[in-house]
Amino acid sequence: MAQRVALVTGAARGIGAAIAARLAADGMAVAAVDLEEAATAGTVDAIRRAGGRALGIGADVADAAAVEDAVRRTAEELGAPTVLVNNAGILRDNLLFRMTEDDWDAVVRVHLRGAFLMSRAVQRHQVEAGWGRIVSLSSTSALGNRGQANYAAAKAGLQGFTKTLAIELGRFGVTANAIAPGFIATDMLRAAADRLGMPFEDYLAAAAREIPVGRVGQPEDIAAVASFLCSEEASFVSGQVLYVAGGPKA
């Protein structure tokens, strides 16, 4: 069987970097996409040092031309991408009455428009191959979260987007699923702790006390779920949203 090729967005650090590394360990060639190509160097180098094939690409996932170019480069340099992980995301948190139109548009643009453009570009290769996996990163914030009207709406939108892709693409051997992480220790949360004026370790400890399993999540916890959803064994799992939060969410 030819080596599968995965394209992971937001792959410079955090959850995206962990997913890229895990898919490479699973035997896939990986295109690590982030806003600046230089930012992907750590992810790409780690994969290559472990004996894998990887390519770093700089692209704004909300720019249609940049997306098309990223997918083209992936196909030319690694092979046709049949696995896509839509992970790229940003935060612009604020209470509704303080939230600007730019705050709203920026978050929806990256999360929703970015996932749409990437999925549209990659599905051509998946349909041609008769096989594909699309995994999009939602969030427990999709259930609603104070100060995150933009982020919550975008992450909830990704769930509807995922279910629709599953319906449209299933007949072509393509599955689409979403992962909704809970509290995961990443740089994004470090920035949230900084905004609160709280030491990061104290922020994590406070969160852990509210999580049934008694700890916060790590990027590798999400990567493990992505690994399964991108595998051959997950061929009968599609249109699902899996909350990975150390306890029940609904």
Side-chain angles (χ1 to χ4, degrees):
M1 182 181 296
Q3 184 181 36
R4 302 287 189 197
V5 177
L7 190 156
V8 181
T9 68
R13 57 189 175 276
I15 290 172
I19 291 174
R22 178 60 185 262
L23 295 183
D26 291 343
M28 298 185 191
V30 178
V33 177
D34 215 287
L35 194 57
E36 301 293 336
E37 183 172 332
T40 69
T43 302
V44 170
D45 289 347
I47 291 172
R48 290 175 176 171
R49 286 197 304 270
R53 296 173 62 222
L55 168 69
I57 299 175
D60 177 354
V61 297
D63 182 301
V67 166
E68 290 292 337
D69 186 62
V71 173
R72 177 191 57 76
R73 279 193 61 195
T74 301
E76 290 177 355
E77 299 185 39
L78 293 178
T82 54
V83 174
L84 170 65
V85 179
N86 289 309
N87 170 73
I90 60 172
L91 291 176
R92 295 290 186 273
D93 294 351
N94 225 326
L95 294 174
L96 179 63
F97 77 99
R98 293 177 182 156
M99 186 172 290
T100 67
E101 292 173 22
D102 286 345
D103 290 337
W104 178 274
D105 291 344
V107 169
V108 172
R109 182 176 182 272
V110 173
H111 292 270
L112 276 179
R113 178 179 168 87
F116 157 66
L117 291 175
M118 273 292 176
S119 299
R120 186 179 65 175
V122 169
Q123 63 85 31
R124 294 195 293 269
H125 295 285
Q126 296 172 324
V127 169
E128 183 176 347
W131 188 96
R133 301 285 185 264
I134 299 174
V135 175
S136 297
L137 272 293
S138 180
S139 169
T140 55
S141 291
L143 302 172
N145 198 31
R146 178 180 172 83
Q148 289 193 317
N150 49 5
Y151 187 77
K155 291 304 193 181
L158 279 173
Q159 296 188 14
F161 179 67
T162 292
K163 292 177 182 293
T164 301
L165 292 187
I167 294 168
E168 291 188 6
L169 299 177
R171 69 188 65 186
F172 302 108
V174 180
T175 66
N177 293 285
I179 303 171
F183 199 101
I184 309 297
T186 64
D187 288 343
M188 190 176 283
L189 287 184
R190 187 180 296 276
D194 290 343
R195 286 195 300 273
L196 294 172
M198 191 175 188
F200 189 47
E201 294 306 318
D202 292 349
Y203 188 59
L204 297 182
R209 288 193 289 271
E210 303 299 321
I211 299 172
V213 299
R215 70 172 178 89
V216 300
Q218 299 297 323
E220 290 74 18
D221 294 316
I222 308 305
V225 178
S227 172
F228 169 68
L229 292 176
C230 293
S231 71
E232 303 288 342
E233 290 81 0
S235 63
F236 203 56
V237 180
S238 195
Q240 303 305 304
V241 179
L242 181 57
Y243 284 83
V244 184
K249 298 289 180 179

